[in-house]
Amino acid sequence: MTTPVTAPPLYARAMRVGDLLFVSGQLPVDGSGLLYPGKVGTEVTVEQAREAATLAASNCLDVICEALGSLDAVRGVARLGGYVAAGEGFNNAPAVVDAASQRILDALGERGRHARLALGVASLPLGACVEIELAVQC
């Protein structure tokens, strides 16, 4: 009989380099699983994807709290990266990622203002409709 071996993760949920904390891409996952899997514009509406982006951004904030102890340790947000699984003809990733930007601003105020990437992609892990990453100054 073969016993499965659990491999260590190949990456960290967050990595601090100097005064920057890089948060690995977070999916819209909560206690019930992945929210709105599929491609935006075909299986997932823009409003559903915005809800998913808000959840993924909240998950980024949770990782920051885990790594730094509190959001109070964040001096500023350098960059938010938003990746949207785009269905055929969908070209409005910024409308989806705006929801993640708003979540960060709501949580951090002006410290949350950031440079940003909003990009449509062919696919994301687990079939997610959106993935959000952050780089924050601490």
Side-chain angles (χ1 to χ4, degrees):
M1 185 167 138
T2 304
T3 304
V5 176
T6 303
L10 299 175
Y11 63 93
R13 288 171 39 95
M15 180 63 63
R16 190 168 183 170
V17 179
D19 69 345
L20 291 176
L21 180 73
F22 294 89
V23 177
S24 293
Q26 298 297 304
L27 301 178
V29 176
D30 62 15
S32 62
L34 182 66
L35 185 66
Y36 304 125
K39 294 190 178 204
V40 182
T42 52
E43 299 100 349
V44 179
T45 68
V46 170
E47 280 310 310
Q48 290 170 325
R50 287 175 55 82
E51 187 178 337
T54 299
L55 177 57
S58 292
N59 290 343
C60 287
L61 294 170
D62 290 345
V63 172
I64 291 168
C65 286
E66 180 182 303
L68 300 178
S70 162
L71 292 179
D72 292 338
V74 175
R75 292 180 21 216
V77 178
R79 181 177 178 273
L80 181 149
Y83 305 88
V84 178
E88 181 71 31
F90 182 77
N91 62 2
N92 201 3
V96 174
V97 179
D98 280 349
S101 290
Q102 188 63 59
R103 176 67 182 103
I104 299 305
L105 286 168
D106 289 347
L108 297 171
E110 278 305 305
R111 294 178 299 140
R113 195 158 304 280
H114 51 269
R116 188 177 90 173
L117 168 75
L119 184 66
V121 298
S123 67
L124 290 169
L126 305 177
C129 66
V130 67
E131 183 172 2
I132 303 295
E133 65 178 5
L134 285 177
V136 300
Q137 185 180 23
C138 45

